[in-house]
Amino acid sequence: MSENIWYVAIERAVNNNIPRVKSILERHTYISDARAKLRQAKLEVLSNLKEYVDMTMESVRRNGGNVYLAKDGEEARSIVEKIVGDKNTIVMGKSMVAYECGIRQHLINKGKEVWETDLGEFLIQLSNEPPSHIIAPAIHMTREQASKVIRKIDSTSSAQSHEEIAGEARKFLRQKFINAEVGITGANAISADTGSILLIENEGNIRMSSIMPEVHIAIAGVEKIVPTLEHAFLEVMVQSAYAGLYPPTYVNLTSGPSSTGDIEMKRVSPAHGPKEFHLILLDNGRFKTADDPILSEALLCIRCGRCHFHCPVYRIMGQKWGDPPFTGPMGAMWSYVVYGDGKPSLLCAHSAGCREVCPMDINIPKVLERIKYIAQK
Amino acid sequence: MDNSVKQFLFNTMKQEFTPFPVDKSICTGWAEGEKRGGETILYTGCMYQLAPLSAIFNRISPIVSRMSSPQLILGMAKKVHPEKRELERSYKILRRISSILKKNGVDFGYLFEDEPYSGAFLLELGMLDEFEEYAKLVKDKLLSMGVKRIITVDPHSQNALSRYSEFFAFNIEVINYLDLVKDVGESRSKGTYVIHDSCLYSRFMNKRDVYRLILKKSGVSIKEDYMVTSKENSLCCGGPLAPVNDGLSSEIGKYRATQLKRVSDKVIVQCPFCYTNLSPYVEAIDIAEMISL
Ligand code: SF4
């Protein structure tokens, strides 16, 4: 990708996103209280992480789901592989943690047919590139480039407009949803008290991925746990508002496999949705990070992607800054949290636009100062 | 920046109290007629004077660090002087700051060649142990000269000195000159200007309104633009990255200048490094050059 294309793409994204977030926050003033409450709730979980993981696991089991704690990406891959077994067709809803663990590539290597279903991720998969932004993974791609990429599924396609490109993807993926045996998603929030996961989206692909296949696997970092279902709702509200997508078109709540109580009020499972629900909670450096009073702030990140747009380094470097899927200021923190890579932090110019806009009030420059320090030791 | 270069600079700093080997007369050349020492000092940190040299230094240090004896070559930096025009400009700024403060009734001295560098770049590179060790030496030096109050003139020194107390007890008051400027005369400037905020002043020290008020009192016409000059949207000039990645630092400077030019082609800065990084791409003027006495 040439630098000029990147500048065009980021300029368009910034000019679309920043004013939109501003007007959302001005119109829905309660979001400000929600984020303060959410920060407190997440701090509470981080200071008692082990207890909250145990509580969550117990709640998921109570709902008839299966739950695992994976210490790293390798363990997560092997858990997924076992669950998938001899099933072959898999659809994925956008999940950074699945990317972090290399799930898609691992399953493809095992001969499975795996499709990303979020349009951005789908384009990234087709073009075989790393994502460049956490909520808009194909942000570096202009419409003109996307139109070329979509021809990989249909060389006769003449799709040019945003609508036409989305239409081609919809046509292609519809069949994949119908045939999929396993759906893999992430989770925006997990409530410890009810063992529920919440997922927000606008495309409908996550709803399809989590409902249509017989098996639903959700994979998420342990930092996604919040004390109660109320906090989980706060998290999806705040995340979508700060991402500039408020109200989210869909909020998906899943608490175990599908069930029905329609015969004599006896709850039996499955009904129409998946008959198996699996939640994989991932450590991969998060427990260690939670113990460091400065670094632990990084775990408050709700992946809204707002800090990226207010960072001069990201505006120049894009996906080249950080270890995929982590880019931007949050990515400089998270490259260290999960991959132990301190080098991205060295490029932080401590301009602090990120801190100014972060809904979780993460002192990102301070976290990066600490990582710079550790990286040079 | 290469580790051997960092170590070399750290050792030089501890011995000479300068950010890199430098002829100290460069730092003091502006101060003819200033009072020596005292409890309250005007602190330059040699930042305005050395900013043009730092740019050269950052450009050559990666090349030098690959040579067989980088220390020898870096040691020769003492013989290098900034371009006369640049140095004169920095002296003019410092003299003007000094006059403005005096007009505002502030009494101060200057430490001349005894003025120690703040250690800002160690802090900004995340070399926190080295920063602490060096800062303790600075503290002792300042105390031995009876300093009780420091008036800084740039954001990097202000930031570094005011963070000493995070590492150890530091009872010397650190204040920035902009906070002491209450009376200013009518500016002779013409046209409309855009402010490029120093990140440290704007987002770490909350001084955006302090210098906006000064400019307003001077009658300077300022144009604001939410996407370019607001607290959350104004971007860095790239200056702090120069020692780490000079190319990236310049790219950011160019990008920022392009944004600013969309608002006005005359840009007011408050930091010598913002000036260095932006001035190749847009007309940059220091706030001290804007305000009259
Ligand atoms: S660090 Fe803050 S602004 Fe950046 S993605 Fe995370 S929550 Fe959003």
Side-chain angles (χ1 to χ4, degrees):
Chain A
M1 179 191 43
S2 87
E3 274 172 11
N4 286 344
I5 292 179
W6 165 250
Y7 287 147
V8 171
I10 186 69
E11 235 19 63
R12 286 181 190 168
V14 161
N15 290 326
N16 282 329
N17 180 273
I18 292 179
R20 197 165 57 219
V21 174
K22 184 170 186 275
S23 82
I24 288 169
L25 298 179
E26 282 166 2
R27 191 169 315 129
H28 309 284
T29 48
Y30 53 85
I31 298 285
S32 180
D33 292 340
R35 75 190 182 104
K37 195 166 175 187
L38 179 61
R39 182 182 155 91
Q40 285 315 313
K42 288 178 86 73
L43 284 173
E44 150 70 19
V45 171
L46 291 180
S47 52
N48 299 290
L49 195 51
K50 180 79 184 68
E51 286 77 0
Y52 276 100
V53 168
D54 290 345
M55 201 191 298
T56 305
M57 293 179 84
E58 202 186 304
S59 301
V60 173
R61 287 193 193 106
R62 205 168 49 235
N63 298 335
N66 303 290
V67 62
Y68 318 80
L69 176 61
K71 70 172 183 305
D72 54 22
E74 192 184 337
E75 198 171 321
R77 286 193 297 277
S78 108
I79 294 169
V80 170
E81 194 183 328
K82 274 198 203 108
I83 301 169
V84 170
D86 56 6
K87 295 184 186 63
N88 194 49
T89 322
I90 298 151
V91 285
M92 298 186 69
K94 183 171 59 182
S95 161
M96 289 183 79
V97 175
Y99 192 104
E100 176 188 329
C101 299
I103 303 281
R104 190 218 307 156
Q105 202 47 51
H106 181 71
L107 292 171
I108 290 173
N109 293 347
K110 294 283 163 198
K112 310 288 180 191
E113 183 188 352
V114 190
W115 290 104
E116 294 285 355
T117 60
D118 169 84
L119 179 57
E121 284 292 349
F122 181 58
L123 291 169
I124 290 293
Q125 182 180 8
L126 291 178
S127 62
N128 200 18
E129 286 178 285
S132 49
H133 184 269
I134 48 175
I135 57 160
I139 199 172
H140 58 283
M141 239 184 242
T142 57
R143 171 174 53 81
E144 295 79 359
Q145 287 178 303
S147 132
K148 274 192 207 140
V149 170
I150 206 77
R151 269 178 243 150
K152 291 195 176 181
I153 50 168
D154 178 0
S155 56
T156 63
S157 168
S158 58
Q160 292 288 340
S161 66
H162 301 91
E163 291 80 0
E164 287 165 348
I165 298 166
E168 292 286 2
R170 175 187 165 95
K171 204 164 63 189
F172 178 84
L173 289 172
R174 189 128 299 226
Q175 211 51 43
K176 305 297 173 195
F177 284 126
I178 291 168
N179 295 334
E181 295 159 285
V182 180
I184 300 178
T185 68
N188 291 105
I190 305 164
S191 60
D193 69 331
T194 64
S196 315
I197 65 161
L198 260 74
L199 278 155
I200 30 172
E201 54 154 341
N202 297 304
E203 296 186 13
N205 66 307
I206 291 181
R207 186 159 291 185
M208 304 262 243
S209 303
S210 59
I211 290 291
M212 296 189 67
E214 279 197 353
V215 177
H216 175 197
I217 305 172
I219 175 160
V222 286
E223 83 287 0
K224 288 281 155 223
I225 297 172
V226 287
T228 70
L229 190 53
E230 181 194 355
H231 297 114
F233 273 105
L234 291 180
E235 178 148 351
V236 297
M237 275 164 57
V238 176
Q239 199 268 2
S240 53
Y242 277 79
L245 305 165
Y246 196 81
T249 312
Y250 304 106
V251 176
N252 302 286
L253 186 152
T254 302
S255 315
S258 71
S259 64
T260 174
D262 281 1
I263 305 168
E264 295 178 343
M265 300 293 278
K266 179 176 163 43
R267 218 163 242 297
V268 292
S269 178
H272 301 290
K275 69 174 184 200
E276 290 175 28
F277 171 73
H278 302 266
L279 175 63
I280 303 171
L281 296 166
L282 181 69
D283 171 3
N284 209 24
R286 290 160 171 88
F287 271 101
K288 192 170 142 228
T289 304
D291 287 339
D292 183 301
I294 295 174
L295 293 185
S296 61
E297 285 266 311
L299 300 177
L300 297 172
C301 172
I302 56 170
R303 311 281 203 260
C304 70
R306 198 170 179 225
C307 51
H308 296 65
F309 295 140
H310 297 259
C311 171
V313 181
Y314 179 74
R315 297 268 278 260
I316 299 295
M317 293 186 70
Q319 74 195 146
K320 285 183 265 171
W321 187 32
D323 301 320
F326 305 113
T327 58
M330 68 75 63
M333 298 191 291
W334 277 80
S335 293
Y336 180 74
V337 171
V338 305
Y339 302 126
D341 182 5
K343 284 193 296 302
S345 72
L346 301 175
L347 295 183
C348 168
H350 56 81
S351 92
C354 53
R355 185 183 62 185
E356 211 56 47
V357 298
C358 174
M360 288 295 99
D361 290 333
I362 301 173
N363 193 345
I364 301 169
K366 182 88 180 160
V367 174
L368 292 177
E369 180 182 277
R370 171 116 180 106
I371 299 175
K372 283 181 191 180
Y373 169 73
I374 297 168
Q376 294 178 95
K377 281 256 109 201
Chain B
M1 197 184 279
D2 183 86
N3 265 344
S4 64
V5 175
K6 278 187 209 160
Q7 268 318 310
F8 172 74
L9 294 180
F10 179 50
N11 290 334
T12 311
M13 210 181 285
K14 285 192 291 185
Q15 280 157 25
E16 306 193 14
F17 291 95
T18 54
F20 47 85
V22 70
D23 173 355
K24 277 201 175 170
S25 70
I26 296 172
C27 304
T28 57
W30 68 278
E32 205 181 315
E34 294 292 342
K35 189 170 81 182
R36 185 177 277 273
E39 288 190 353
T40 297
I41 54 151
L42 185 67
Y43 179 87
T44 73
C46 204
M47 301 303 259
Y48 273 97
Q49 305 92 309
L50 287 185
L53 261 194
S54 309
I56 302 168
F57 188 83
N58 292 326
R59 219 154 290 149
I60 61 157
S61 74
I63 308 163
V64 170
S65 66
R66 287 198 293 273
M67 295 177 172
S68 54
S69 52
Q71 287 83 346
L72 207 72
I73 297 178
L74 292 171
M76 280 161 43
K78 267 194 170 168
K79 299 207 168 40
V80 185
H81 277 231
E83 207 188 301
K84 192 157 181 280
R85 193 177 51 89
E86 295 286 2
L87 193 59
E88 277 308 320
R89 179 186 161 272
S90 74
Y91 286 178
K92 221 173 106 190
I93 290 171
L94 293 171
R95 287 186 193 122
R96 192 175 272 231
I97 292 173
S98 163
S99 308
I100 294 167
L101 287 173
K102 284 173 190 154
K103 278 263 157 69
N104 276 269
V106 185
D107 184 34
F108 56 84
Y110 173 57
L111 295 177
F112 290 84
E113 62 287 346
D114 290 327
E115 181 189 77
Y117 173 59
S118 66
F121 99 72
L122 297 173
L123 177 66
E124 294 177 20
L125 291 181
M127 298 166 67
L128 303 180
D129 291 339
E130 289 84 351
F131 176 70
E132 179 173 356
E133 187 183 334
Y134 175 72
K136 279 183 183 149
L137 298 177
V138 175
K139 172 187 162 181
D140 292 345
K141 193 170 166 69
L142 292 170
L143 289 177
S144 73
M145 291 184 287
V147 174
K148 295 207 167 121
R149 187 178 190 230
I150 296 171
I151 304 170
T152 63
V153 298
D154 75 280
H156 294 271
S157 303
Q158 173 70 28
N159 179 53
L161 291 167
S162 52
R163 287 191 61 186
Y164 280 16
S165 50
E166 284 177 29
F167 295 82
F168 46 78
F170 185 66
N171 294 325
I172 299 175
E173 185 190 356
V174 183
I175 186 163
N176 185 259
Y177 87 98
L178 293 165
D179 288 312
L180 299 172
V181 177
K182 303 295 172 208
D183 289 327
V184 282
E186 188 82 13
S187 170
R188 282 189 292 274
S189 64
K190 295 208 170 51
T192 299
Y193 293 76
V194 59
I195 297 176
H196 165 76
D197 291 277
S198 137
C199 297
L200 290 171
Y201 276 162
S202 172
R203 287 183 284 264
F204 288 82
M205 303 168 201
N206 244 331
K207 293 206 188 302
R208 290 170 57 83
D209 294 336
V210 174
Y211 45 81
R212 276 175 173 71
L213 184 64
I214 293 174
L215 289 164
K216 195 173 164 208
K217 279 188 191 164
S218 307
V220 179
S221 162
I222 300 293
K223 192 168 170 198
E224 302 280 3
D225 179 309
Y226 172 69
M227 292 297 281
V228 180
T229 64
S230 60
K231 191 173 184 185
E232 64 264 40
N233 285 317
S234 64
L235 294 180
C236 174
C237 68
L241 285 178
V244 185
N245 184 329
D246 190 52
L248 175 61
S249 164
S250 307
E251 277 301 307
I252 296 175
K254 193 160 137 195
Y255 183 84
R256 178 64 179 151
T258 311
Q259 283 190 320
L260 291 161
K261 276 194 274 191
R262 286 203 291 261
V263 185
S264 167
D265 51 11
K266 287 188 281 195
V267 178
I268 298 175
V269 295
Q270 319 87 41
C271 163
F273 296 101
C274 294
Y275 174 84
T276 305
N277 250 42
L278 294 175
S279 57
Y281 313 107
V282 67
E283 184 189 345
I285 308 121
D286 192 273
I287 184 168
E289 296 175 285
M290 290 296 300
I291 47 182
S292 301
L293 311 179

